[in-house]
Amino acid sequence: MQIKRMTLRFDLDNPEDRQAWEYLKNLNPASMNRAVLAIVNQAEQAERISGIVRSVIREELCTALGQAPVQTVQTETVNEDGADDTIMDFLNSF
């Protein structure tokens, strides 16, 4: 059996670190080790699942947007001085 050791430090001025320390300090060493391993493995699995979900959503959006009907929009022409033809036509009617 190959065992690797790791040191974990807590900044008790940080609320998240303090919360983790309060949880772990009440466990016996064997339970503490199992708890940390379970938390690390759950975080890795959640990250992997999150990546899969994002990938599926991206693919579905691309497919849906690729099938969406595209409607062209005709823009009104603007004179060189930037005045709108509709406004000019209205003013010329007086």
Side-chain angles (χ1 to χ4, degrees):
M1 175 188 335
Q2 188 177 16
I3 296 177
K4 300 289 184 182
R5 297 198 181 274
M6 176 186 276
T7 301
L8 183 61
R9 296 181 183 183
F10 298 91
D11 176 3
L12 299 181
D13 292 332
N14 180 326
E16 291 176 350
D17 285 16
R18 180 176 282 286
Q19 181 181 4
W21 169 247
E22 293 295 332
Y23 171 72
L24 290 173
K25 79 175 184 177
N26 294 320
L27 301 175
N28 65 48
S31 296
M32 185 185 302
N33 192 51
R34 283 193 301 263
V36 170
L37 292 173
I39 291 166
V40 169
N41 288 331
Q42 287 173 354
E44 188 274 330
Q45 184 179 17
E47 187 174 328
R48 195 170 358 107
I49 290 171
S50 176
I52 292 168
V53 169
R54 278 195 299 269
S55 177
V56 168
I57 290 172
R58 187 179 302 112
E59 289 173 16
E60 291 298 320
L61 281 174
C62 286
T63 301
L65 291 174
Q67 295 173 353
V70 178
Q71 181 179 3
T72 58
V73 177
Q74 186 176 13
T75 59
E76 293 183 21
T77 58
V78 177
N79 292 340
E80 287 181 19
D81 62 357
D84 185 15
D85 287 339
T86 307
I87 295 171
M88 295 306 291
D89 290 343
F90 174 75
L91 292 174
N92 286 335
S93 68
F94 289 105

